[in-house]
Amino acid sequence: MNIRYYHITKVTSTNTWAKEHAHEFAHDEIAAITADEQTHGRGRYARVWHSPAGKNLYLTLAFYSNIKPFALCQLASLTLEEFLQIHGITAKIKWPNDLLVNGKKIVGVLTERQEVNGMAFIVLGIGLNVNMNGEEIAEIPQAATSMFLEKNHTFSLDAVKQFYVRLFVKRLLEAQENNFADVWSHWQKSLNWMLEHPVCIQTHAKRLEGKVIALDKEGNLLLQGPDGHTHTIQSADVNL
Ligand code: BT5
């Protein structure tokens, strides 16, 4: 699968840019869009993704695909975990879309999907903190870290991009061969640590407490409340 790289100096959001340019992309290619800086980097629920200039990887992988967005989010998380491990950083995947190093967020993934001329177009946004220093990290309103803070040296953003994009595409092609069965089993293994864990879940509508009893194939988290009732959670923030 051909990879076509696009680099923009300053953009609102690489995900927004990909969606606006969707009709220009070839159907058999992956577009890897990066920016030095995002002025309106986005998280879920329209939250801000801190995107200072020249510090981090702000990447969107955009392509036509019928694969379920959540399966692609799982693949992105697993390949980011693998990428970080290769660079000597052990990260944990936290449902649904975070990678944490000792409880501090190092990566966020934002998966979006839109229809373009009747075809499904996937926009997979990845924000990986690469060279942010302690002062810059302190501006983020939750515990966060970067590759620099974990390893005490800076990384070439271009090398990080090339390495990660190639790894993702390699794993995507492998995953397609067995219909994502290995992705599902690896993902379950990686998230095993969350099972039986007491958690507090915040959805857009309510706050629930309980323990995680399963993560299902549709990407839902199954939470058992203190009264024994099971809640199926599609999207939320999990506090451990
Ligand atoms: C995410 O949202 O974690 C998804 C972030 C995706 C960002 C990428 S960058 C390339 C592409 N283009 C975009 O516009 N977005 C994608 P969520 O789970 O909602 O987490 C957002 C929360 O993470 C914020 O409310 C902050 O608390 C925290 N946060 C913001 N910036 C951060 C950073 N650089 N590092 C760690 N945490 C951050």
Side-chain angles (χ1 to χ4, degrees):
M1 190 179 256
N2 190 39
I3 306 168
R4 193 176 294 275
Y5 290 92
Y6 298 80
H7 186 77
I8 309 153
T9 311
K10 191 170 174 172
V11 71
T12 51
S13 146
T14 52
N15 269 32
T16 305
W17 192 90
K19 287 160 98 177
E20 286 168 359
H21 291 77
H23 55 280
E24 295 168 22
F25 300 135
H27 292 171
D28 54 353
E29 284 185 344
I30 289 201
I33 303 142
T34 46
D36 288 339
E37 178 182 3
Q38 297 187 117
T39 55
H40 293 80
R42 297 187 282 116
R44 293 172 303 144
Y45 316 118
R47 289 190 288 223
V48 172
W49 187 255
H50 280 249
S51 311
K55 289 284 171 175
N56 301 320
L57 182 69
Y58 314 117
L59 166 70
T60 294
L61 297 167
F63 48 100
Y64 287 89
S65 172
N66 286 321
I67 301 164
K68 285 188 185 155
F70 194 73
L72 290 165
C73 182
Q74 290 173 328
L75 182 68
S77 300
L78 287 169
T79 50
L80 284 159
E81 184 187 32
E82 183 180 358
F83 170 87
L84 288 169
Q85 196 63 67
I86 291 168
H87 290 82
I89 301 169
T90 301
K92 261 186 184 172
I93 303 177
K94 183 179 140 211
W95 184 92
N97 68 327
D98 288 348
L99 267 86
L100 307 179
V101 179
N102 297 322
K104 298 177 204 162
K105 184 157 169 169
I106 192 164
V107 178
V109 180
L110 178 66
T111 316
E112 301 180 287
R113 180 188 183 277
Q114 71 181 29
E115 291 278 315
V116 180
N117 297 330
M119 276 182 295
F121 184 66
I122 298 288
V123 177
L124 194 53
I126 291 155
L128 167 64
N129 296 336
V130 181
N131 291 327
M132 264 204 274
N133 63 31
E135 252 172 57
E136 289 153 342
I137 283 284
E139 287 174 20
I140 296 169
Q142 74 174 73
T145 190
S146 66
M147 292 175 71
F148 166 74
L149 289 175
E150 296 303 318
K151 297 309 290 180
N152 237 347
H153 64 85
T154 56
F155 292 80
S156 149
L157 287 176
D158 201 47
V160 165
K161 169 177 85 177
Q162 301 269 348
F163 193 122
Y164 177 68
V165 172
R166 287 199 200 125
L167 180 67
F168 176 86
V169 173
K170 183 167 182 265
R171 297 288 179 243
L172 174 64
L173 295 177
E174 287 166 4
Q176 281 172 324
E177 275 171 26
N178 73 357
N179 216 6
F180 275 65
D182 288 350
V183 170
W184 168 241
S185 60
H186 285 156
W187 194 76
Q188 265 204 320
K189 253 184 236 153
S190 275
L191 276 96
N192 224 359
W193 68 275
M194 287 185 82
L195 297 183
E196 299 298 318
H197 216 294
V199 291
C200 176
I201 302 264
Q202 183 70 54
T203 71
H204 66 283
K206 55 189 172 191
R207 187 185 151 93
L208 296 165
E209 285 184 9
K211 64 177 181 184
V212 181
I213 53 168
L215 298 155
D216 76 13
K217 273 202 159 166
E218 304 309 310
N220 301 311
L221 179 148
L222 304 189
L223 179 85
Q224 189 175 59
D227 59 357
H229 183 76
T230 300
H231 305 263
T232 302
I233 316 285
Q234 266 189 333
S235 173
D237 287 314
V238 179
N239 297 306
L240 301 157

